[in-house]
């Protein structure tokens, strides 16, 4: 499978246009009838006897937010969709949307299979999910260098990218321990699909002449993918004339497919009802920490450039209007070729690696309106803990449930990536559930249906709930669970 890493780099750079909110729909945090509330806080109960997800479409979540819009990366040359690298796009126009520091963290989740049921004194859940995470940091000079390539110095220090994909098998249980307290937890078995990492601690590009450049870099790349190979190397030389082999990202190969690691993770949560505690009627406080875990990778291919001064050949710019370099495929090749030259990596052999997941901390406060019990206001604080890709957001919500089978929420958020408007609608009559929501709404599209805003997200799910809406904290019997499982199987 030629050019996989090259394409990963292209996707990573495209992701700079936006970063995604965590893969859960935070706008639904205070909805009692939201089937996937246990993904936001494993202590949450569900107001039906249980549910079964429809495979593949039970819960699909993708969203993007960041300090760039998608249109900063993608450009239009007439009716042609292209990128900022297109030679027909003027340099000033191509670089106009980039900031001094460009950052992104993107999550994706699709639930392949899932169900929940009340039994054994509490609420139990199972899920089989595909998940991925991408984080990117890049300075303005990286885009500048790949676009203009003038005879001047470029500082590429701080460029980094990490992409991880895995399959998650989760088993959760929550229960009420007192009238005021409810707790829950989830055990997750993680099957590692692949991981790619690039960290450029320092990189100085000195353009002494158009055909002879000098690069001093301290960079490292790691790829944990089954069957991966760097492929045939390029012959290069250091500044003192010493020959060496440099990795060519255009020659990488992946033969075969399969899992390349395993790990474990935990979700922990609690809810405290201050009304049941006898303190303040209608007030609830909750907290959860998600994805506390790791993945241990079997094979990790390492490449590095440890600060050695390297001579590289100058690039031959393609600037002919209507000629080569104007199509998306040709620009994809351009990304890989230029990036391969800029970081000048050498093969570092195999290594063992263990990577932590990005943990998420949720803290929520909800107050039920005394004049209308079907309405509440809530404040949710979400903090992502993932090193340089960490972020925080506060979201103020108004939730209403005019009917037992209909509820919704509108909310305003503010945080590391600016302000946002979110909403969710949840329709769940007996035997059917449809929910649609956005933590970061987008309202404008190009005629090619590309979102023009800087923040975008959408979550959609179709599931099958069992039983009527439950009231209070009534326990179900084991027969409820048996009925659900038999119907599911």
């Amino acid at each position: 499978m030629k050019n996989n890493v090259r394409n990963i780099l292209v996707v990573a750079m495209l992701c700079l246009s936006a970063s995604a909110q965590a893969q859960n729909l935070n706008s639904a945090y205070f909805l009692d009838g939201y089937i996937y509330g246990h993904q936001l806080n494993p202590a949450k109960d569900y107001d039906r006897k249980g549910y079964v997800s429809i495979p593949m479409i039970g819960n699909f979540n993708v969203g993007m937010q960041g300090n760039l819009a998608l249109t900063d990366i993608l450009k239009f040359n007439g009716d042609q969709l292209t990128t900022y690298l297109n030679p027909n796009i003027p340099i000033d126009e191509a670089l106009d949307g980039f900031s001094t520091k460009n950052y992104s963290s993107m999550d994706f989740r699709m639930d392949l299979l899932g169900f929940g049921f009340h039994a054994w004194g509490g609420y139990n859940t199972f899920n089989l999910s595909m998940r991925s995470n991408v984080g990117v940091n890049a300075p303005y000079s990286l885009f500048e260098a790949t676009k203009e390539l003038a005879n001047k110095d470029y500082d590429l220090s701080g460029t980094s990218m990490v992409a991880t994909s895995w399959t998650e098998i989760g088993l959760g249980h929550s229960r009420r321990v007192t009238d005021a307290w409810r707790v829950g937890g989830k055990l997750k078995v993680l099957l590692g699909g692949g991981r790619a990492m690039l960290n450029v601690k320092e990189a100085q590009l000195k353009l002494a002449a158009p055909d002879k450049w000098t690069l001093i870099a301290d960079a490292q790349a790691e790829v944990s993918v089954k069957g991966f190979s760097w492929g045939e190397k390029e012959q290069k030389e250091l500044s003192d004339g010493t020959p060496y082999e440099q990795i060519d990202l255009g020659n990488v190969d992946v033969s075969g497919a399969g899992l390349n690691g395993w790990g474990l993770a935990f979700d922990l949560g609690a809810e405290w009802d201050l009304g049941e505690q006898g303190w303040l009627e209608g007030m609830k406080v909750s907290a959860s920490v998600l994805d506390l875990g790791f993945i241990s990778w079997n094979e990790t291919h390492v490449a590095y450039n440890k600060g050695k001064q390297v001579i590289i050949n100058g690039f031959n710019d393609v600037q002919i209007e209507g000629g080569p370099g104007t199509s998306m495929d040709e620009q994809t090749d351009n990304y890989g070729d230029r990036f391969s030259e800029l970081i000048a990596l050498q093969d570092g052999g195999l290594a063992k690696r263990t990577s932590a997941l990005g943990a998420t901390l949720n803290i929520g406060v909800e107050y039920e309106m005394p004049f209308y019990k079907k309405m509440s206001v809530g404040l949710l604080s979400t903090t992502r803990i993932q090193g340089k890709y960490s972020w925080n957001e506060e979201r103020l919500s108004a939730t209403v449930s005019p009917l037992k089978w209909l509820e919704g929420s509108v909310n305003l958020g503010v945080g590391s990536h600016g302000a946002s408007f979110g909403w969710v609608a949840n329709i769940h009559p007996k035997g059917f559930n449809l929910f649609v929501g956005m933590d970061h709404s987008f309202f404008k599209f190009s005629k090619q249906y590309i979102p023009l805003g800087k923040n975008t997200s959408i979550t959609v799910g179709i599931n099958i709930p069992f039983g009527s809406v439950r009231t209070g904290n009534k326990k179900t019997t084991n027969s409820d669970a048996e009925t659900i499982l038999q119907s599911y199987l």
Side-chain angles (χ1 to χ4, degrees):
M1 191 182 298
K2 284 276 190 178
N3 299 332
N4 278 276
V5 170
R6 174 183 295 181
N7 293 331
I8 288 175
L9 287 170
V10 176
V11 172
M13 295 187 74
L14 290 175
C15 289
L16 278 170
S17 60
S19 72
Q21 182 73 334
Q23 64 281 348
N24 299 311
L25 179 61
N26 286 347
S27 294
Y29 188 87
F30 299 109
L31 268 61
D32 292 335
Y34 180 51
I35 277 180
Y36 293 98
H38 60 86
Q39 293 180 353
L40 295 162
N41 187 330
K44 284 187 175 294
D45 199 0
Y46 179 47
D47 67 359
R48 300 297 180 94
K49 291 182 178 180
Y51 78 93
V52 169
S53 68
I54 297 178
M56 306 298 289
I57 59 173
N59 185 36
F60 177 88
N61 185 300
V62 62
M64 298 183 289
Q65 66 175 8
N67 65 344
L68 291 174
L70 188 58
T71 49
D72 293 326
I73 297 289
L74 298 178
K75 303 291 183 180
F76 293 96
N77 182 29
D79 292 333
Q80 179 191 20
L81 177 62
T82 181
T83 75
Y84 76 99
L85 284 182
N86 190 305
N88 295 324
I89 305 295
I91 292 177
D92 291 344
E93 178 184 339
L95 301 178
D96 182 60
F98 301 117
S99 304
T100 302
K101 294 182 179 180
N102 304 277
Y103 55 89
S104 164
S105 62
M106 183 174 73
D107 295 300
F108 166 83
R109 179 177 194 138
M110 176 185 289
D111 286 299
L112 305 177
L113 187 66
F115 56 84
F117 58 93
H118 285 86
W120 310 310
Y123 181 54
N124 311 277
T125 60
F126 169 85
N127 69 276
L128 173 64
S129 308
M130 290 178 56
R131 298 182 58 181
S132 64
N133 170 265
V134 177
V136 184
N137 275 274
Y140 176 86
S141 55
L142 175 62
F143 300 99
E144 188 181 28
T146 55
K147 176 62 180 179
E148 70 174 10
L149 296 168
N151 293 338
K152 64 180 185 180
D153 295 344
Y154 296 95
D155 185 357
L156 310 181
S157 303
T159 302
S160 65
M161 184 273 285
V162 61
T164 310
S165 65
W166 69 97
T167 298
E168 173 187 293
I169 303 172
L171 295 171
H173 178 78
S174 67
R175 63 171 57 222
R176 187 166 295 282
V177 293
T178 71
D179 289 341
W181 283 91
R182 185 178 183 89
V183 298
K186 183 178 292 188
L187 170 65
K188 302 176 179 180
V189 177
L190 312 178
L191 306 178
R195 178 176 181 266
M197 183 277 290
L198 171 68
N199 185 22
V200 182
K201 295 181 180 179
E202 181 180 4
Q204 304 294 331
L205 185 59
K206 311 289 185 180
L207 305 190
D211 58 349
K212 190 175 184 180
W213 297 353
T214 301
L215 174 69
I216 303 174
D218 183 356
Q220 181 165 324
E222 298 177 358
V223 179
S224 304
V225 175
K226 189 176 182 62
F228 177 86
S229 171
W230 292 118
E232 185 178 352
K233 315 295 193 304
E234 287 186 298
Q235 300 300 316
K236 296 289 183 178
E237 64 178 28
L238 301 176
S239 56
D240 60 3
T242 303
Y244 77 98
E245 290 186 330
Q246 174 182 308
I247 288 173
D248 182 355
L249 297 181
N251 291 333
V252 301
D253 189 31
V254 177
S255 58
L259 300 176
N260 194 45
W262 72 277
L264 293 173
F266 298 91
D267 293 351
L268 302 172
E271 292 184 331
W272 183 27
D273 190 326
L274 276 68
E276 293 290 345
Q277 192 74 44
W279 290 2
L280 182 59
E281 186 67 29
M283 178 72 76
K284 295 181 180 179
V285 178
S286 60
S288 65
V289 58
L290 312 175
D291 293 331
L292 281 174
F294 68 92
I295 299 178
S296 178
W297 301 98
N298 297 329
E299 292 184 2
T300 298
H301 296 259
V302 178
Y304 66 92
N305 183 331
K306 293 299 183 182
K308 295 181 179 180
Q309 186 170 330
V310 178
I311 294 177
I312 59 179
N313 295 326
F315 296 121
N316 294 320
D317 281 350
V318 179
Q319 298 289 346
I320 302 174
E321 183 176 357
T326 58
S327 72
M328 287 287 284
D329 288 342
E330 288 167 333
Q331 290 174 66
T332 297
D333 293 340
N334 205 7
Y335 273 122
D337 293 340
R338 294 188 179 191
F339 212 86
S340 179
E341 292 283 349
L342 291 177
I343 58 179
L345 295 173
Q346 304 170 54
D347 193 344
L350 291 173
K352 287 281 188 177
R353 290 289 186 268
T354 298
S355 61
L357 299 183
T360 301
L361 175 65
N362 288 320
I363 300 176
V365 179
E366 183 183 17
Y367 181 64
E368 184 182 81
M369 296 290 97
F371 55 85
Y372 186 53
K373 297 293 186 180
K374 296 179 180 182
M375 180 178 179
S376 69
V377 294
L379 178 64
L380 175 65
S381 174
T382 301
T383 302
R384 181 64 171 266
I385 306 170
Q386 196 178 10
K388 64 180 68 178
Y389 308 110
S390 299
W391 53 267
N392 172 263
E393 180 184 74
E394 320 299 325
R395 190 169 291 274
L396 181 64
S397 302
T399 301
V400 62
S401 304
L403 303 172
K404 289 183 178 180
W405 52 269
L406 177 64
E407 58 186 345
S409 175
V410 292
N411 51 83
L412 296 174
V414 62
S416 303
H417 301 107
S420 62
F421 170 74
W423 60 273
V424 60
N426 188 31
I427 304 170
H428 53 116
K430 187 174 182 179
F432 176 77
N433 170 240
L434 167 67
F435 61 84
V436 180
M438 296 181 179
D439 285 340
H440 302 270
S441 302
F442 49 93
F443 303 100
K444 293 183 179 181
F445 297 84
S446 71
K447 61 182 180 181
Q448 289 82 7
Y449 301 103
I450 296 176
L452 298 178
K454 293 188 175 183
N455 303 316
T456 61
S457 73
I458 186 167
T459 302
V460 179
I462 302 176
N463 302 272
I464 303 174
F466 290 92
S468 302
V469 175
R470 302 168 66 247
T471 58
N473 299 311
K474 179 173 67 70
K475 295 181 180 179
T476 56
T477 64
N478 286 355
S479 60
D480 292 328
E482 293 170 0
T483 300
I484 293 169
L485 291 174
Q486 289 173 1
S487 300
Y488 184 71
L489 298 173

